[in-house]
Amino acid sequence: GDNGESSLYTGARAAKDGRVFEALGDADELNSCVGAAREFLEGEDAPLGALRGRLAEVQSRLLDVGSAVATPLGEGSEARQARARFDAAEVEALEKWIDDMDAGLPPLAQFILPGGGRGAALLHLARSVCRRAERRVVPLVRDGEVEAAVGRYLNRLSDFLFVAARFASHAGGHPEVAYKKKQPEAAAA
């Protein structure tokens, strides 16, 4: 690794600043952000305890995302391909979790500012990092190097993290702060 290259799961060497390692780095950063948010959610009791459990599950799935990205389709042995295959059912699980949390939230009538307590603020940060990770994975999916399910998972994960941030904010008793457009100053007469 000291010469600017590292190994993929297939054993192939690739540049550390190449698009596969960019995607892997963003997925890793996302996993760290999710872990920080999980640790900052106040209390172990329901409903935040259930959210913490789901976030731990997301962290494990992000390691699966990394395995899929580090194992380009069509490269390496069939056994490695099978081990790194991403389960598309994970997308459906996220959608169910989103629906479960969203059912207990007030309708969103306007843009909100990231915040709502430490855990919620970190979930908003994780959502932003997730969008970057998704942008890094999109060209890999488009070029047939990574399964489409990985891209779909990251897309839904950003939605999940947004709803989770709102859920944590409400569960913690923190108000959502609405975006306010600055009004132009009145012209001097």
Side-chain angles (χ1 to χ4, degrees):
D2 290 341
N3 293 323
E5 290 186 343
S6 192
S7 295
L8 299 175
Y9 184 58
T10 61
R13 302 287 293 172
K16 286 184 176 183
D17 61 350
R19 60 191 203 159
V20 168
F21 282 108
E22 290 286 346
L24 286 171
D26 288 341
D28 187 37
E29 181 181 353
L30 172 57
N31 203 336
S32 296
C33 287
V34 171
R38 185 171 53 83
E39 291 302 318
F40 272 96
L41 289 173
E42 297 90 4
E44 298 283 339
D45 298 335
L48 291 178
L51 178 55
R52 285 174 52 94
R54 288 176 175 176
L55 292 172
E57 179 73 19
V58 163
Q59 287 186 275
S60 290
R61 296 301 65 80
L62 286 170
L63 290 176
D64 293 341
V65 164
S67 293
V69 170
T71 311
L73 294 174
E75 294 183 20
S77 70
E78 284 185 32
R80 286 187 189 227
Q81 285 289 321
R83 183 167 168 76
R85 191 162 292 119
F86 192 82
D87 186 356
E90 296 301 335
V91 176
E92 295 169 17
L94 279 179
E95 290 171 346
K96 182 183 180 328
W97 292 349
I98 291 168
D99 292 343
D100 290 348
M101 287 186 296
D102 202 39
L105 293 173
L108 191 60
Q110 58 195 19
F111 289 113
I112 58 170
L113 303 179
R118 292 178 299 183
L122 285 169
L123 286 166
H124 280 293
L125 177 62
R127 174 189 50 81
S128 298
V129 173
C130 185
R131 288 179 177 248
R132 179 170 16 102
E134 180 189 6
R135 288 190 304 271
R136 298 280 194 204
V137 167
V138 163
L140 299 172
V141 170
R142 183 177 48 237
D143 293 345
E145 297 175 47
V146 174
E147 298 165 86
V150 173
R152 285 194 308 273
Y153 183 81
L154 290 172
N155 180 272
R156 295 310 184 292
L157 182 57
S158 67
D159 295 339
F160 167 80
L161 292 168
F162 177 76
V163 175
R166 291 192 68 219
F167 182 83
S169 177
H170 282 269
H174 301 282
E176 292 180 322
V177 178
Y179 158 76
K180 294 179 184 169
K181 182 164 180 66
K182 185 174 181 175
Q183 299 300 318
E185 295 181 27

